Amino acid sequence: MGEARQVMDRLTDAVTTHADPNVISELYAEDAVAFTPDEGELHGRDNIVEYWRTMTEAIPEATFQPLHTYEVGDTAIDEGIFSGRNTGPLQLPNGETLPPTQKEIRIRGVDIATVKDGRIVDYRLYFDEMDFLGQLGLLPDEPS
């Protein structure tokens, strides 16, 4: 197992089983860049840590079930199922905060992390945001 795989596994643990913003902060380079489906492009460790803080507060006891894990050179890739219950406030991209829905979510996603000198410098997260919002009950009902 290489460095990229070890860092990705630590990140997954720090945003799910053992949510810890300090560990998340240690895993990203100061000038890291992240791409997310809900917040777009994030620049800098502090902004990325804040993104994960809002997610871990919204779904504090999340789990990740890996389906496929890969490591190629300095990059680790995970495909899996992120699941949990929304028991904390949910921060929306427009700055609004929604109260917890108490709904269970189960979304399939892909994470890609490129690591240099033990820290993530480039991170990409892909999941179906509409599926996520729908499972939370936050989309309007379709007309019959």
Side-chain angles (χ1 to χ4, degrees), residues 15-19 55-63 84-88:
V15 300
T16 58
T17 310
H18 301 102
M55 186 65 81
T56 58
E57 285 182 2
I59 306 168
E61 296 179 6
T63 61
R85 179 181 298 273
N86 173 222
T87 59

Side-chain angles (χ1 to χ4, degrees), residues 32-43:
V33 176
F35 301 88
T36 69
D38 48 346
E39 291 290 331
E41 189 171 330
L42 304 171
H43 292 269

Side-chain angles (χ1 to χ4, degrees), residues 1-17 23-24 26-28 52 64 66 68-80 109-116 118-126:
M1 178 179 354
E3 181 178 60
R5 175 84 270 141
Q6 290 174 0
V7 170
M8 177 71 97
D9 290 348
R10 287 186 63 209
L11 176 64
T12 299
D13 186 64
V15 300
T16 58
T17 310
V23 172
I24 295 168
E26 292 170 9
L27 295 173
Y28 282 93
W52 284 122
F64 182 77
H68 300 282
T69 61
Y70 306 96
E71 183 178 40
V72 180
D74 62 358
T75 301
I77 305 165
D78 286 348
E79 176 187 5
V110 174
D111 300 77
I112 304 168
T114 300
V115 175
K116 299 260 192 263
R119 294 182 189 262
I120 299 168
V121 295
D122 184 86
Y123 179 79
R124 295 162 191 273
L125 173 63
Y126 300 97

Side-chain angles (χ1 to χ4, degrees), residues 72-102:
V72 180
D74 62 358
T75 301
I77 305 165
D78 286 348
E79 176 187 5
I81 307 292
F82 179 86
S83 59
R85 179 181 298 273
N86 173 222
T87 59
L90 188 65
Q91 189 77 34
L92 298 178
N94 66 3
E96 291 181 46
T97 301
L98 296 177
T101 65
Q102 302 302 323

